[in-house]
DNA sequence: CTGTTAGCGCCTTCAT
DNA sequence: ATGAAGGCGCTAACAG
């Protein structure tokens, strides 16, 4: 667009004239060659070359009801956590001729609602959201729009449509169980304030069985916030033995702060992160963390969406990809 | 779409009827309220609520020639390097009502060509590409499409349209000059095989004035490739004093390998990376690297694009954001 | 301020 | 295998 001055763009009409066939034959030659004679196809192809025609997918989509776009909503594209998911999703969809429109919610529910509205107005063939759709209004709008939706990075008994993820409650439980199994009793939590991190914290606390000193930091979490978090935690309990962090970024900050205070890891302080970021294995000591297969989530989301787009029914709309604790030097 | 069974979706027509106004008044009430009476606006708003109307941007775009989409092509979304650019671009465009369609070229020129064709067929109001558009065919197609284009992360005297970036040749030169200034003469290079990395290498070598032992690794570069690269470099010259790496990921790998071999950094081996990744300052020793303001590139690209979309002329279509060497512990 | 008319570029439906 | 007509949902352009 924005064709301010240029000659009006070439349309299929021009191609058809150039090729000496009707508009619809030209259309079919390009998108449904099986229905057209070899000869016509060749002439249309040539006309495309000659005119420099580039189809207008907007126009096609208007009539055919297929935009070949999928909307992907993430909290923040700069948070490395969701990158493998976005990449796997994009790759798989691209291979099927779909493009991804990106939206960032900024961990903000109001913004998520607004963005979902904007996305729906683009009539994507599918929508992938990170986490569960929070607001009831949006859930209802999505259902009524009739667009396939995949919620990711979480689980739910009653998703808007489909869901691919894992249980954050179980993650929290598992880490707490792991700490307790190691004999650590004086525990601490450094956690982000987003919904999923909160649920992990809940699982952690409920398995521990009593309240745990906690520092909550605003999303997106970072190394710097982690350093501060440990300082604050040590004020609450100077003899903490093990800290669970809701992200590896936070965990790295906790680690840096601990080392700066001369604490030995894991001797004086054990640390467990979440996400298994690429740097986790290379910290010194290496970081114990919870590994989630983000790429698998993206690939599965793409698969479900594509099946649905092909009109196939998706028998199992709730997919649990699980998680595992990766034990390393920090514990 | 994919509205398989549902009731046919609500259109502006339905809203107009419900509100008791004409179609175009409903349209204006929503997108151009200044032209419509308060009363009509109120009634249309109410009708929107009542019907659950969600506009169809595809249809609007077809007529108005504005898709409110911007295509962004990156080599690989999972490479952290370009994330700040994508984020800043997305944020700025979002604030103006534009969404970003994402495409990954995979450092592959053929794929880039194909993707550009796909993107053009979506009639975005702008296209942002990482690096310069390589193929002459694509350059020509972009020009003829009349879509504003911003090339980024590089500079050129004759961009397709606009360009925001910096000189990779100067980066290579600057790092070489920095090394020479430190008195290091036995140098090495570990570099990716993409175009921009190659140009930096070229600048480096030309400032050194003679050939330099080099290991080239395939994109995307990684820590593991960096370890291997140093091993290979030390085979070429066991007494190398300083290594320039085309990414901080590579540099981290070189550092890990050097430490594993008992080399002291920077005493036995100095290392300089590129990109100033978030972890660079937190390695031990911290990593000297070349800082580029990726967010500024994205923000400027958005600004140029939006100005062009508003029909304003862009007086300076070549913007150099520069770079700087950040000196840290590894040198 | 409001409405009517005419498409945007393409694809679906029905005929040939 | 090909074509003609109609319309997808919306908005410029012109009238009232």
């Amino acid at each position: 667009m924005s064709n301010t001055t240029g000659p009006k763009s070439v349309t299929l009409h021009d191609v058809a004239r150039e090729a000496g066939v009707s508009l619809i034959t030209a259309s079919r030659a390009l998108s449904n060659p099986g229905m057209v004679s070899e000869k016509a196809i060749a002439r249309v192809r040539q006309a495309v070359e000659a005119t420099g025609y580039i189809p207008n997918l907007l126009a096609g989509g208007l009539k055919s009801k297929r935009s070949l776009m999928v909307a992907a909503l993430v909290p923040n594209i700069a948070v490395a956590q969701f990158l493998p998911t976005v990449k796997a999703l994009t790759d798989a969809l691209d291979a099927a001729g779909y493009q991804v429109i990106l939206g960032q919610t900024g961990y903000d529910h109001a913004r998520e609602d607004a963005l979902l509205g904007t996305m729906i107005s683009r009539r994507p063939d599918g929508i992938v959201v990170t986490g569960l759709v929070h607001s009831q209004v949006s859930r209802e709008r999505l259902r009524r729009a009739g667009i396939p939706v995949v919620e990711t990075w979480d689980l739910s008994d009653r998703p808007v449509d489909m869901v691919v993820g894992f249980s954050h409650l179980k993650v929290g439980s598992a880490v707490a169980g792991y700490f307790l199994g190691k004999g650590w009793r004086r525990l601490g939590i450094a956690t982000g304030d987003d919904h999923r991190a909160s649920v992990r914290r809940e699982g952690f606390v409920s398995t521990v069985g009593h309240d745990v000193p906690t520092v909550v930091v605003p999303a997106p979490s970072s190394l710097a916030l982690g350093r501060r978090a440990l300082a604050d935690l040590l004020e609450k309990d100077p003899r903490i033995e093990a800290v669970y962090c809701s992200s590896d970024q936070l965990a790295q900050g906790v680690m840096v702060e601990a080392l700066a205070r001369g604490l030995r890891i894991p001797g004086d302080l054990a640390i467990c992160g979440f996400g298994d970021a690429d740097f986790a294995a290379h910290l010194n000591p290496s970081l114990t963390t919870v590994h989630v297969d983000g790429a698998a989530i993206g690939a599965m989301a793409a698969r479900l969406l594509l099946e649905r787009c092909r009109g196939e029914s998706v028998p199992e709309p709730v997919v649990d990809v699980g998680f595992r604790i990766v034990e390393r030097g920090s514990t």
Side-chain angles (χ1 to χ4, degrees), chain A residues 210-228:
Chain A
H210 57 76
D211 216 9
V212 176
T214 297
V215 171
V216 177
V217 306
S221 60
S222 65
L223 190 151
L225 286 170
R227 293 195 67 157
R228 278 284 306 276

Side-chain angles (χ1 to χ4, degrees), chain A residues 73-89 105 107 129-131 152-154 166 168 194 196 200 274-275 292 294-295 297-298:
Chain A
L73 265 56
V74 294
N76 183 328
I77 184 69
V79 170
Q81 170 120 62
F82 304 115
L83 244 43
T85 301
V86 173
K87 169 142 183 61
L89 180 76
T105 62
Y107 292 100
V129 300
T130 308
T152 63
W153 280 85
D154 207 336
F166 57 94
H168 290 263
D194 64 277
R196 290 179 294 285
R200 294 199 291 278
F274 175 83
V292 173
I297 292 176

Side-chain angles (χ1 to χ4, degrees), chain A residues 191-278:
Chain A
T191 182
D193 65 350
D194 64 277
H195 177 72
R196 290 179 294 285
S198 303
V199 173
R200 294 199 291 278
R201 169 190 175 186
E202 195 184 309
F204 187 98
V205 171
S206 107
T207 292
V208 170
H210 57 76
D211 216 9
V212 176
T214 297
V215 171
V216 177
V217 306
S221 60
S222 65
L223 190 151
L225 286 170
R227 293 195 67 157
R228 278 284 306 276
L230 180 59
D232 293 351
L233 271 179
L234 289 176
E235 291 218 345
K236 298 193 181 205
D237 178 357
R239 293 169 50 208
I240 279 180
E241 297 167 308
V243 177
Y244 155 66
C245 307
S246 71
S247 78
D248 286 354
Q249 282 73 22
L250 277 183
Q252 185 181 10
V254 167
M255 186 180 286
V256 167
E257 182 66 22
L259 294 174
R261 288 167 180 249
L263 297 174
R264 286 162 309 163
I265 300 172
D268 298 321
L269 186 75
I271 304 171
C272 178
F274 175 83
D276 198 12
D278 50 10

Side-chain angles (χ1 to χ4, degrees), chain A residues 5-83:
Chain A
T5 70
K8 52 182 65 95
S9 65
V10 181
T11 75
L12 196 52
H13 184 83
D14 303 314
V15 172
R17 226 185 3 171
E18 173 85 13
V21 299
S22 76
L23 187 79
I24 185 59
T25 301
S27 171
R28 289 200 271 243
L30 295 177
S31 55
N32 223 338
M35 295 177 64
V36 175
S37 69
E38 294 288 340
K39 199 181 296 180
I41 291 175
R43 293 173 65 176
V44 170
R45 288 248 169 83
Q46 199 176 335
V48 168
E49 285 294 320
T51 55
Y53 170 70
I54 294 184
N56 184 332
L57 270 181
L58 297 184
L62 185 56
K63 187 69 193 175
S64 69
K65 305 276 184 209
R66 298 187 323 136
S67 60
L68 295 178
M69 296 191 303
V70 167
L73 265 56
V74 294
N76 183 328
I77 184 69
V79 170
Q81 170 120 62
F82 304 115
L83 244 43

Side-chain angles (χ1 to χ4, degrees), chain A residues 143-166:
Chain A
R143 287 215 184 81
R144 283 204 311 194
I147 302 174
V149 174
V150 184
E151 294 166 283
T152 63
W153 280 85
D154 207 336
L155 282 185
S156 164
D157 289 339
R158 40 183 223 70
V160 171
D161 183 8
M162 302 174 280
V163 60
V164 181
F166 57 94

Side-chain angles (χ1 to χ4, degrees), chain A residues 17 33 114 164 184 192 290 308:
Chain A
R17 226 185 3 171
V164 181
W184 299 316
V290 177
R308 189 62 69 82

